[in-house]
Amino acid sequence: MNKKTRNILACVFLLGMVGCNIDIPDRTLSTQISETIEESKANGVFLAEYRPNREIIKKAWVEIPWVYDTLGNIKKQGGNELYIEAIDSIGLSRTWERCMNGDTSNGNFSMGADYLIFELTEEELSKDTLIYYIYGGKKRKCMGELQLIKKK
């Protein structure tokens, strides 16, 4: 094989190697979410589970935010994040006034299911009950209080 053909094959090989990773998301940069409480526990990032007082909430739990390292292992980041999976499209506010104004302090995140995400302080995490105010429906009006009671 002559030198020119070898160089062309090497370039094609390198382009193929680089091109194969173009559409794969870099999971070392974006925070991951465990899809279930069991997965959160298995990943070693689970902190607490909550029982909601409203049927519109499927499940709620707190875990340490995490990413994958370059070897595919879980790397914990700082903080505590509350994940709330709801049956319907709703928003949550930390105060009644914000709820009445349609102002929420969270955003929806989609990963197979929609999660409402709140960052919790250590003080909030130590409480047995978290209180938020639900808004939703066609008119996006305030629908009342949501209590999340920590499971023991």
Side-chain angles (χ1 to χ4, degrees):
M1 190 181 294
N2 66 28
K3 192 173 184 178
K4 187 175 183 179
T5 306
R6 205 171 4 172
N7 285 342
I8 291 172
L9 287 175
C11 286
V12 169
F13 175 76
L14 289 174
L15 286 173
M17 292 290 289
V18 171
C20 290
N21 289 328
I22 289 175
D23 61 344
I24 298 174
D26 187 352
R27 298 186 314 167
T28 64
L29 299 177
S30 59
T31 302
Q32 305 295 307
I33 297 174
S34 304
E35 295 209 24
T36 64
I37 293 169
E38 293 73 26
E39 181 184 350
S40 180
K41 290 176 181 178
N43 290 341
V45 295
F46 176 82
L47 295 174
E49 181 178 0
Y50 292 86
R51 180 177 44 82
N53 70 334
R54 305 295 280 282
E55 290 182 10
I56 197 166
I57 305 300
K58 288 183 183 178
K59 57 186 172 184
W61 78 95
V62 178
E63 67 179 37
I64 300 167
W66 57 279
V67 296
Y68 287 104
D69 66 14
T70 54
L71 300 174
N73 300 314
I74 290 174
K75 180 181 169 188
K76 296 176 186 176
Q77 298 178 315
N80 311 305
E81 287 192 345
L82 170 65
Y83 298 102
I84 301 171
E85 185 178 355
I87 293 171
D88 201 359
S89 176
I90 61 168
L92 295 177
S93 294
R94 291 184 189 265
T95 66
W96 181 256
E97 291 79 24
R98 283 186 170 177
C99 186
M100 291 300 287
N101 293 328
D103 179 21
T104 60
S105 54
N106 68 286
N108 283 345
F109 182 82
S110 180
M111 179 184 215
D114 288 337
Y115 293 99
L116 298 164
I117 303 170
F118 280 93
E119 287 186 31
L120 294 184
T121 64
E122 290 295 327
E123 181 183 344
E124 289 171 314
L125 183 61
S126 69
K127 293 180 180 179
D128 288 334
T129 303
L130 300 174
I131 298 174
Y132 297 99
Y133 299 92
I134 302 172
Y135 80 92
K138 292 179 182 177
K139 295 184 180 180
R140 304 300 288 171
K141 65 178 183 171
C142 214
M143 298 165 42
E145 185 178 272
L146 167 67
Q147 291 183 8
L148 297 173
I149 300 142
K150 189 183 284 186
K151 290 185 176 181
K152 301 289 179 183

